[in-house]
Amino acid sequence: MKRVLALMIAGVVLCVGITACGKGSESSNNVVTVEKESVPSAEASKETSADTGLSIPGLWQTASIGYDDGESMQPEYYVQFTDSEIQYGHMKDGEFSLDHADKISTIEKTASGGIRVQAENSNGFKYTYQTCETDSNILEYYGTWDESEFADTYSGSSSLSICVSDQAKEPTVSADFLDDDIVFHTDESVEDFRVYSLELDIHDDGTVDYIPTEVYREAELTKDSPATVHLEFPGDMSLNGFSYKGPDGSVKTFTIGISGMDGSLVINAEDYELPD
């Protein structure tokens, strides 16, 4: 049995009245010292943004108002994300001025295609930002890392919205026939463009799972460089698919099929799990 060198159990503090940007009641740290060869915890095994390639671009702002700069009321904080930090600051003469930064522990994609960031401030308080399911320009704030506690720790005033000037236009990817091939076009550049052959798994209740096999990948699809891909549609239910990374950093997935009415291509946004 591995020898425990020290064990300190700190009291649990109930955090109430979460204030903006993770400055709620401070929780004490639980410190457990074990021998180096002990198995890493599940939290320690999670990937950081540098590992996953996920990122949150742009300048964000808190919903809460913090001060009057002499001309107008300003958010309590403007916020920007790096690979390892959430940076809180203010705008001075059009430039971001850092006030303080909290450490990012993990950043990962949610089941709905958004991004979840778990961070910790200098006092050890742990909190989460997560993409709103109905609006990708909002990051909802929860004063915990535990998803089961989200409903009790949500704070609207501490949630973030992307600054209007930094909102990226959502691209539109379209497709046309070119002889026996399909040509994909976009009105705005997208990253990590991938095309799939989809197998349909139809359940007894009528729901469908899409099982993708990648057939094409491009690091970037641009307005000036459309992608030409050969795709097969052997039957009426045949579908293919494609995905790309959106301007908010989340991955968008689509199906592409042939209309039974006029034989044109039909594109629909559908969620499915992508291969590695």
Side-chain angles (χ1 to χ4, degrees), residues 3 18 29 73 86 104 117 140 151 163 169 209 216 240 252-253 258:
R3 182 165 51 94
I18 303 299
N29 295 322
M73 297 297 292
I86 303 177
I104 291 177
V117 180
E140 296 175 327
C163 296
K169 179 184 177 184
D209 286 335
Y216 179 89
N240 293 283
K252 316 292 184 180
T253 54
I258 297 179

mmCIF file of all heavy atoms in Angstrom, residues 3 18 29 73 86 104 117 140 151 163 169 209 216 240 252-253 258:
data_model
loop_
_atom_site.group_PDB
_atom_site.id
_atom_site.type_symbol
_atom_site.label_atom_id
_atom_site.label_comp_id
_atom_site.label_asym_id
_atom_site.label_seq_id
_atom_site.Cartn_x
_atom_site.Cartn_y
_atom_site.Cartn_z
ATOM 1 N N ARG A 3 2.274 4.738 0.853
ATOM 2 C CA ARG A 3 2.317 5.415 2.133
ATOM 3 C C ARG A 3 1.869 6.856 2.003
ATOM 4 O O ARG A 3 2.362 7.605 1.186
ATOM 5 C CB ARG A 3 3.744 5.375 2.657
ATOM 6 C CG ARG A 3 3.939 6.005 4.033
ATOM 7 C CD ARG A 3 5.270 5.595 4.607
ATOM 8 N NE ARG A 3 6.328 5.844 3.633
ATOM 9 C CZ ARG A 3 7.049 6.957 3.610
ATOM 10 N NH1 ARG A 3 6.794 7.932 4.470
ATOM 11 N NH2 ARG A 3 8.013 7.111 2.747
ATOM 12 N N ILE A 18 -22.242 34.658 -5.699
ATOM 13 C CA ILE A 18 -21.063 34.728 -6.554
ATOM 14 C C ILE A 18 -21.008 36.096 -7.222
ATOM 15 O O ILE A 18 -21.947 36.532 -7.849
ATOM 16 C CB ILE A 18 -21.134 33.650 -7.654
ATOM 17 C CG1 ILE A 18 -21.281 32.246 -7.023
ATOM 18 C CG2 ILE A 18 -19.908 33.678 -8.524
ATOM 19 C CD1 ILE A 18 -20.161 31.841 -6.146
ATOM 20 N N ASN A 29 -8.428 25.010 0.445
ATOM 21 C CA ASN A 29 -7.867 23.943 -0.366
ATOM 22 C C ASN A 29 -7.784 22.649 0.426
ATOM 23 O O ASN A 29 -7.436 22.640 1.608
ATOM 24 C CB ASN A 29 -6.449 24.306 -0.841
ATOM 25 C CG ASN A 29 -6.469 25.484 -1.777
ATOM 26 O OD1 ASN A 29 -7.377 25.591 -2.584
ATOM 27 N ND2 ASN A 29 -5.484 26.352 -1.680
ATOM 28 N N MET A 73 -20.851 54.160 -18.651
ATOM 29 C CA MET A 73 -20.656 53.054 -17.733
ATOM 30 C C MET A 73 -19.925 51.922 -18.451
ATOM 31 O O MET A 73 -20.186 51.637 -19.626
ATOM 32 C CB MET A 73 -21.995 52.565 -17.193
ATOM 33 C CG MET A 73 -22.738 53.613 -16.381
ATOM 34 S SD MET A 73 -21.848 54.107 -14.889
ATOM 35 C CE MET A 73 -21.959 52.601 -13.927
ATOM 36 N N ILE A 86 -7.223 33.078 -18.088
ATOM 37 C CA ILE A 86 -8.323 33.994 -18.349
ATOM 38 C C ILE A 86 -7.878 35.347 -17.813
ATOM 39 O O ILE A 86 -7.610 35.486 -16.618
ATOM 40 C CB ILE A 86 -9.620 33.547 -17.652
ATOM 41 C CG1 ILE A 86 -10.003 32.140 -18.077
ATOM 42 C CG2 ILE A 86 -10.751 34.520 -17.983
ATOM 43 C CD1 ILE A 86 -11.244 31.610 -17.381
ATOM 44 N N ILE A 104 -6.183 28.680 -16.209
ATOM 45 C CA ILE A 104 -7.060 27.698 -16.832
ATOM 46 C C ILE A 104 -6.549 26.308 -16.492
ATOM 47 O O ILE A 104 -5.375 25.981 -16.717
ATOM 48 C CB ILE A 104 -7.118 27.884 -18.356
ATOM 49 C CG1 ILE A 104 -7.841 29.186 -18.710
ATOM 50 C CG2 ILE A 104 -7.823 26.704 -19.029
ATOM 51 C CD1 ILE A 104 -7.878 29.485 -20.199
ATOM 52 N N VAL A 117 -14.674 25.861 -20.082
ATOM 53 C CA VAL A 117 -13.386 26.221 -19.497
ATOM 54 C C VAL A 117 -13.492 26.145 -17.979
ATOM 55 O O VAL A 117 -14.379 26.748 -17.385
ATOM 56 C CB VAL A 117 -12.967 27.654 -19.889
ATOM 57 C CG1 VAL A 117 -11.616 28.003 -19.275
ATOM 58 C CG2 VAL A 117 -12.921 27.811 -21.389
ATOM 59 N N GLU A 140 -21.624 31.274 -20.192
ATOM 60 C CA GLU A 140 -22.310 31.257 -18.910
ATOM 61 C C GLU A 140 -21.335 30.928 -17.787
ATOM 62 O O GLU A 140 -20.444 30.094 -17.947
ATOM 63 C CB GLU A 140 -23.451 30.236 -18.941
ATOM 64 C CG GLU A 140 -24.525 30.588 -19.948
ATOM 65 C CD GLU A 140 -25.591 29.512 -20.073
ATOM 66 O OE1 GLU A 140 -25.250 28.318 -19.914
ATOM 67 O OE2 GLU A 140 -26.755 29.874 -20.327
ATOM 68 N N ALA A 151 -26.739 24.409 -11.613
ATOM 69 C CA ALA A 151 -28.000 25.130 -11.421
ATOM 70 C C ALA A 151 -27.966 26.026 -10.189
ATOM 71 O O ALA A 151 -28.582 27.100 -10.173
ATOM 72 C CB ALA A 151 -29.156 24.128 -11.298
ATOM 73 N N CYS A 163 -17.709 41.099 -27.144
ATOM 74 C CA CYS A 163 -17.891 42.493 -27.526
ATOM 75 C C CYS A 163 -18.374 42.568 -28.976
ATOM 76 O O CYS A 163 -17.917 41.795 -29.836
ATOM 77 C CB CYS A 163 -16.590 43.272 -27.369
ATOM 78 S SG CYS A 163 -16.029 43.378 -25.652
ATOM 79 N N LYS A 169 -18.392 36.877 -38.061
ATOM 80 C CA LYS A 169 -19.515 36.489 -38.907
ATOM 81 C C LYS A 169 -19.553 34.972 -39.039
ATOM 82 O O LYS A 169 -18.533 34.329 -39.306
ATOM 83 C CB LYS A 169 -19.367 37.123 -40.291
ATOM 84 C CG LYS A 169 -20.490 36.732 -41.239
ATOM 85 C CD LYS A 169 -20.247 37.296 -42.624
ATOM 86 C CE LYS A 169 -21.339 36.830 -43.592
ATOM 87 N NZ LYS A 169 -21.085 37.293 -44.964
ATOM 88 N N ASP A 209 -28.519 7.642 -35.744
ATOM 89 C CA ASP A 209 -27.140 7.995 -35.431
ATOM 90 C C ASP A 209 -26.351 8.023 -36.736
ATOM 91 O O ASP A 209 -26.559 7.170 -37.616
ATOM 92 C CB ASP A 209 -26.503 6.973 -34.480
ATOM 93 C CG ASP A 209 -27.018 7.106 -33.063
ATOM 94 O OD1 ASP A 209 -27.455 8.216 -32.707
ATOM 95 O OD2 ASP A 209 -26.995 6.104 -32.317
ATOM 96 N N TYR A 216 -11.945 13.341 -46.661
ATOM 97 C CA TYR A 216 -11.225 14.526 -47.149
ATOM 98 C C TYR A 216 -10.978 15.467 -45.980
ATOM 99 O O TYR A 216 -11.829 15.601 -45.095
ATOM 100 C CB TYR A 216 -12.043 15.256 -48.218
ATOM 101 C CG TYR A 216 -11.401 16.507 -48.776
ATOM 102 C CD1 TYR A 216 -10.550 16.448 -49.864
ATOM 103 C CD2 TYR A 216 -11.665 17.755 -48.211
ATOM 104 C CE1 TYR A 216 -9.970 17.594 -50.389
ATOM 105 C CE2 TYR A 216 -11.084 18.911 -48.724
ATOM 106 C CZ TYR A 216 -10.235 18.825 -49.811
ATOM 107 O OH TYR A 216 -9.657 19.962 -50.305
ATOM 108 N N ASN A 240 -23.877 12.097 -46.907
ATOM 109 C CA ASN A 240 -22.492 12.384 -46.581
ATOM 110 C C ASN A 240 -22.517 13.541 -45.585
ATOM 111 O O ASN A 240 -23.587 14.015 -45.185
ATOM 112 C CB ASN A 240 -21.703 12.727 -47.843
ATOM 113 C CG ASN A 240 -21.565 11.525 -48.762
ATOM 114 O OD1 ASN A 240 -20.759 10.639 -48.521
ATOM 115 N ND2 ASN A 240 -22.377 11.468 -49.818
ATOM 116 N N LYS A 252 -18.659 22.729 -36.065
ATOM 117 C CA LYS A 252 -19.994 22.647 -36.650
ATOM 118 C C LYS A 252 -20.057 21.413 -37.554
ATOM 119 O O LYS A 252 -19.148 21.182 -38.364
ATOM 120 C CB LYS A 252 -20.306 23.895 -37.486
ATOM 121 C CG LYS A 252 -19.900 25.217 -36.835
ATOM 122 C CD LYS A 252 -20.725 25.535 -35.610
ATOM 123 C CE LYS A 252 -20.341 26.901 -35.056
ATOM 124 N NZ LYS A 252 -21.115 27.260 -33.861
ATOM 125 N N THR A 253 -21.124 20.627 -37.431
ATOM 126 C CA THR A 253 -21.265 19.410 -38.230
ATOM 127 C C THR A 253 -22.554 19.461 -39.053
ATOM 128 O O THR A 253 -23.575 19.961 -38.588
ATOM 129 C CB THR A 253 -21.275 18.162 -37.331
ATOM 130 O OG1 THR A 253 -22.287 18.309 -36.316
ATOM 131 C CG2 THR A 253 -19.928 17.972 -36.655
ATOM 132 N N ILE A 258 -29.242 14.303 -51.195
ATOM 133 C CA ILE A 258 -29.858 14.693 -52.464
ATOM 134 C C ILE A 258 -31.365 14.756 -52.287
ATOM 135 O O ILE A 258 -31.988 13.823 -51.769
ATOM 136 C CB ILE A 258 -29.484 13.702 -53.583
ATOM 137 C CG1 ILE A 258 -27.963 13.729 -53.818
ATOM 138 C CG2 ILE A 258 -30.221 14.031 -54.875
ATOM 139 C CD1 ILE A 258 -27.500 12.760 -54.888
#
